[in-house]
Amino acid sequence: QMQLVESGGGSVQAGGSLRLACTVNRFFMSTYYLAWLRQAPGQEREGVAVITDSGATAYAESVKGRFTISKDSSKNTLYLQMDSLKPEDSAIYYCAATRAIVRWRSVLDAAEYDHWGQGTQVTVST
């Protein structure tokens, strides 16, 4: 059974950094697409970053150059390093997984993911 458990959220001032972590079942670490998505109040859930089973990555334009997704199979953990944070990055961040995505252009679509963590709040203040 897929279990995703996020940690590492919190409050930070603009320009600061946070690192989110998500523990994932060992099997799914190496065989699933793993992603971070976020949802701000009144907005739709949006993809932030994804890492495939082979290690390829993709990022939303809004976070390119500031966020880095990675995974450590020895720790069964997915990470999101967030630097140069902006107030508009404030949201609930979710770890998600799916077996495969046929079209690469859909890799950050929330609808493609069928396993979700409970979410962790990130708040960036001015």
Side-chain angles (χ1 to χ4, degrees):
Q1 182 178 355
M2 172 71 76
Q3 286 189 320
L4 304 167
V5 181
E6 302 98 334
S7 61
S11 298
V12 64
Q13 288 190 323
S17 298
L18 282 174
R19 188 176 76 160
L20 305 183
C22 175
T23 56
V24 184
N25 305 60
R26 178 187 302 272
F27 172 76
F28 300 113
M29 281 292 296
S30 60
T31 60
Y32 273 55
Y33 283 42
L34 303 174
W36 290 97
L37 300 96
R38 66 187 181 186
Q39 188 168 22
Q43 297 187 20
E44 293 186 355
R45 197 168 293 189
E46 64 173 356
V48 175
V50 62
I51 186 166
T52 70
D53 52 342
S54 62
T57 59
Y59 296 90
E61 286 295 326
S62 60
V63 305
K64 277 185 179 178
R66 300 189 297 121
F67 291 12
T68 303
I69 190 170
S70 63
K71 60 181 179 178
D72 186 337
S73 296
S74 67
K75 297 181 179 179
N76 298 328
T77 303
L78 174 73
Y79 298 102
L80 184 68
Q81 177 66 41
M82 304 186 293
D83 299 318
S84 302
L85 282 161
K86 304 176 181 180
E88 52 263 44
D89 294 319
S90 298
I92 298 175
Y93 282 71
Y94 298 90
C95 172
T98 191
R99 180 60 183 89
I101 297 174
V102 175
R103 298 178 301 176
W104 183 250
R105 64 182 180 180
S106 302
V107 73
L108 291 175
D109 289 350
E112 294 288 346
Y113 293 87
D114 43 24
H115 301 279
W116 295 84
Q118 82 287 353
T120 185
Q121 178 72 49
V122 171
T123 302
V124 184
S125 59
T126 56

